[in-house]
């Protein structure tokens, strides 16, 4: 009987010690995203009354993204949080087949709710998937007129408003290298508004 008593006491002590083991509860990360994919609305440009034709844009150039995020672990494998991303988009303004008349640059601010699920842990390496959904706010564009002999007379009066669109992110494969107890380097691959590839550093506690 005494043997069972000590076994039970030992088991209870082991459970208590396991429950007190420190696991990750919070994650903060900073990263750079490559080649973001998103559907960004076209700016509303005026009509050139001389030829009765509307200005259009071409040669869209989207920068990489700077990402900052926070995740809270509901359990060891599952975490939810929020991610902020910043990027810019540049477009050339043309009239039909004209030379480039101006350039518009929008600053893009993206907020997404994020979920992460860790599905494999091997010593200092963790493998996971992450998804996000939210919106992108496009600040009204800054227009720079091209240096032409005869500057366009309609574009300087063009007015552009803030716009927004849906933002999303799907990262099927992410890997972390936990090189210290609280710091990790990570890389992710997938598609979405924050990039098709992403790399950065995390603080975990």
């Amino acid at each position: 009987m005494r043997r069972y008593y000590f076994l039970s006491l030992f088991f209870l002590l082991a459970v208590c010690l396991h429950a007190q083991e420190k696991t990750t509860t919070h994650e903060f990360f900073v990263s750079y995203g490559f080649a973001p994919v998103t559907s960004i609305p076209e700016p509303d440009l005026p009509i050139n009354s001389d030829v009765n034709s509307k200005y259009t844009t071409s040669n869209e150039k989207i920068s990489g993204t700077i990402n900052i995020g926070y995740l809270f672990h509901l359990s060891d494998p599952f975490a939810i949080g929020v991610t902020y991303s910043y990027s810019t988009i540049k477009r050339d303004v043309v009239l039909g087949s004209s030379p480039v008349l101006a350039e518009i640059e929008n600053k893009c601010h993206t907020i997404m709710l994020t979920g992460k699920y860790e599905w494999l842990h091997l010593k200092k390496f963790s493998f996971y998937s992450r998804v996000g959904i939210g919106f992108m706010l496009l600040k009204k564009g800054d227009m720079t007129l091209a240096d032409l002999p005869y500057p366009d007379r309609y574009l300087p009066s063009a007015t552009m408003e803030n716009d927004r669109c849906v933002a999303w992110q799907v990262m099927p494969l992410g890997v972390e290298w936990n090189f210290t107890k609280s710091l990790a380097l990570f890389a992710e691959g997938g598609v979405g508004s924050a990039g098709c590839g992403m790399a950065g550093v995390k603080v975990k506690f």
Side-chain angles (χ1 to χ4, degrees):
M1 184 70 180
R2 182 177 297 178
R3 182 177 62 179
Y4 291 113
Y5 172 76
F6 281 113
L7 284 174
S8 300
L9 184 62
F10 177 78
F11 178 75
L12 180 61
L13 180 61
V15 170
C16 291
L17 289 174
H18 178 73
Q20 292 177 2
E21 285 182 2
K22 189 171 180 60
T23 58
T24 297
T25 303
H26 308 279
E27 292 184 22
F28 290 93
F29 67 85
V30 178
S31 69
Y32 182 82
F34 306 87
V37 175
T38 187
S39 178
I40 299 176
E42 288 283 333
D44 187 17
L45 295 174
I47 293 176
N48 185 306
S49 300
D50 293 340
V51 295
N52 196 30
S53 181
K54 188 167 185 170
Y55 295 92
T56 58
T57 61
S58 64
N59 193 26
E60 183 176 276
K61 300 181 288 291
I62 304 176
S63 73
T65 60
I66 302 298
N67 309 290
I68 301 172
Y70 166 74
L71 291 168
F72 175 76
H73 279 258
L74 299 176
S75 63
D76 279 346
F78 183 63
I80 59 172
V82 63
T83 302
Y84 165 78
S85 303
Y86 172 80
S87 60
T88 62
I89 175 171
K90 296 181 179 179
R91 296 183 174 104
D92 294 334
V93 180
V94 296
L95 184 64
S97 58
S98 74
V100 175
L101 303 174
E103 182 185 69
I104 298 175
E105 180 180 18
N106 289 99
K107 295 177 175 61
C108 307
H109 304 273
T110 302
I111 298 290
M112 285 189 282
L113 296 177
T114 300
K116 171 191 169 185
Y117 183 76
E118 182 182 309
W119 38 267
L120 182 62
H121 186 80
L122 298 173
K123 294 184 178 179
K124 291 188 176 183
F125 291 91
S126 301
F127 298 84
Y128 62 90
S129 300
R130 189 171 65 85
V131 296
I133 187 72
F135 69 92
M136 176 185 291
L137 175 64
L138 282 75
K139 301 297 289 183
K140 60 183 179 181
D142 297 320
M143 184 180 295
T144 304
L145 296 177
D147 186 14
L148 298 172
Y150 303 99
D152 189 282
R153 61 175 178 160
Y154 293 99
L155 282 176
S157 62
T159 58
M160 290 175 288
E161 301 297 331
N162 295 338
D163 207 342
R164 67 176 59 192
C165 61
V166 174
W168 54 274
Q169 193 71 36
V170 178
M171 299 304 238
L173 178 60
V175 58
E176 296 176 9
W177 174 40
N178 301 280
F179 62 93
T180 72
K181 187 174 183 178
S182 301
L183 292 175
L185 297 177
F186 73 95
E188 299 176 357
V191 65
S193 303
C196 293
M198 194 177 295
V201 62
K202 293 182 180 181
V203 178
K204 308 169 72 173
F205 59 94

